[in-house]
Amino acid sequence: MGSGIRTASYGAQESEPGHWDYIVIGAGSSGCVMAEKLSADGKSRVLVLEAGGEDNFWNRLPKGVAKLVKDPRKIWLYQVTQPRETGSDAAEFWIRGKGVGGSSSVNGMIWSRGEPADYDAWESRHGATGWNAGSMTQALNALEDHADGAGRFSGSGGPVHVDPQVHSHPLAARMIEAGAALGLRPVRDLNAQTGPRVGLYSHNIKRGLRQSAAGTFLAPARHRPNVEVITGAAVQRVVVADGRASAVDASISGRSRRFSCAGEIILCTGALETPLLLQRSGIGDGASLHRAGVAPLIALPDVGRHMSEHLSLSMPYRLRGSGAAQLGVHRSLTGTGKYLAMLRWATRRDGIMATGPFEVGAFDNVHHADGRVDAQYYLGAYSFAVGSDNDPVPLDRIDPRPGLTILGSLLRLTSKGSLHITGPDAGDAPVIEPNFLATQHDQESAVALVRRMRRFVHAPPLGRHVGTEEVPGRAVASDADILAAFRRLSSCGLHATGTCRMGSDAASVVDPRLRVRGLERLRIVDCSVIPGHVTGNTNAPAMALAWRAAQLVLDDRP
Ligand SMILES: Cc1cc2nc3c(=O)[nH]c(=O)nc-3n(C[C@H](O)[C@H](O)[C@H](O)COP(=O)(O)OP(=O)(O)OC[C@H]3O[C@@H](n4cnc5c(N)ncnc54)[C@H](O)[C@@H]3O)c2cc1C
């Protein structure tokens, strides 16, 4: 093996018959939107290849998220290779949704649109021509069927039902008042405003059921005669011939199959998998590919670089005082209360089981000098059994005692991470280096966030109910101690972006029409192309990105 290049162990290749105009790889938030939009006029044949399986009951029950995030059939587990502290073990795992709907089928269902200034920066700072507040607002509005109707930042009649008031509880009003006491603007709909604000989260939940990308977009599309969806099809690599993407090799039930494409191949495998899939296909940094035993075909060194994440710390508190037991939702999430809550959901499709992990949310500025939002809070009226890993939301370990959780996320970190393959096979574990808290700015932001969360929970009228802080604990008080605790106990925000960033510069991985540079007929449409910050959750932006991208693809149809 003098060249150092290993041949991936795909076994014998069987060619699949079929003449596809588009092959969409990955049926997640963006992939399902692409499949629906590209097939809608019936003129193109669309094949969707998804590594995971079909939805089940737990995907549809909103609180089913507790089971899903522990089920290896429903999630991908990516082991982070870089330890949080020098000398400690690398023990962190990142999860992503697996199966139709992708991460939208296992996520917290918080519908968060990001801020218009985020999208304007994609265009003005990152060269993503055409991607700005105007075009993304248009796409987001088109997606929505908002319970309050159409507005400047809401749509009506679209496929995704958005409800700004899914579920409330006795502590929620006090949480919102505490945020207001801190200077955050109390709002009915967190998406209708920008800037520091507090309110109930909007959710993509309809009549008590999760609205995943699979149910909303793929289900109607797959009944069309021009659409085929194959689940259990893990794509190993894109085949490049004569300067264009011509086919994909997928493993199905242990057999390797080749699917040829007459038109375009569209990667929608998410911000972690898409750069790895490109690298396995020989697209990336030449030296790094060579080290991994893959023959370099297209030199694109930024594949797998510039990874942004939202870094989060979950802080559980005990509730105190005589009325504490009535305030929290712990009784509906544990013991017999849980069964009663399930019964209520089964008969009325409402209550605590009909919502995600957190009801109350807020956006804040904790450190950036420009005053724009750089932090997000998630508040729940329960706490959980604390483990050494400080699992952010272990919904299977709810503490039966009254509690409260505030989870804070840093949204505009300046540290960038990377990921790359170590071998040619999909089974070769990648190297993942988030590089969290590498800059002074990010370190100061982490300390500011913890101090601000403490002020939040102790602000009136919430403060009088709040007792012991369980993580990191009141003894952690100096800046140095808070930073050390944050480094050790924080978790990724499940919002990775930027690993195949779009831009107008030659070093960007895709151009603003999302075409991979250096070859024809390969596009990327998922969170990996997002070039700048999203100051909020990433499901709605991923769907909006695909909504607009599908139109770009159709505009280029021969
Ligand atoms: C547990 C969790 C909770 C979250 N909570 C929220 C929330 O409340 N609100 C919010 O807005 N965002 C949330 N997010 C983030 C959001 O859901 C994701 O950012 C978004 O869904 C990503 O969309 P995507 O299309 O880029 O990728 P995904 O939706 O992850 O889709 C990728 C798809 O590709 C498939 N795939 C991967 N590799 C292959 C392969 N080799 N071959 C074939 N198929 C493959 C996967 O199985 C998956 O179906 C959460 C994410 C997670 C994981």
Side-chain angles (χ1 to χ4, degrees), residues 25-31 49-52 69 76 95-99 101-104 106-110 233-235 268-271 273 280 494-495 526-527 537-540 542:
I25 307 175
S29 301
S30 357
L49 298 174
E50 164 58 44
V69 297
W76 300 92
I95 60 172
R96 288 296 181 276
K98 184 183 197 176
S103 298
S104 79
V106 304
N107 73 10
M109 296 152 290
I110 290 171
V235 172
C268 303
T269 43
E273 195 57 33
R280 291 200 298 273
L494 306 163
H495 293 159
D526 60 26
C527 282
N537 313 67
T538 43
N539 181 46

Side-chain angles (χ1 to χ4, degrees), residues 44 102 160 198 271 342 356 418 464:
S44 307
V160 183
V198 61
M342 276 299 283
S418 65
R464 68 188 149 94

Side-chain angles (χ1 to χ4, degrees), residues 81-91 435-438 443 484 487-488:
T81 34
Q82 183 184 39
R84 280 300 180 88
E85 297 162 304
T86 320
S88 70
D89 289 339
N435 216 18
F436 282 138
L437 302 172
Q443 295 166 9
R487 197 179 281 288
R488 190 163 45 87

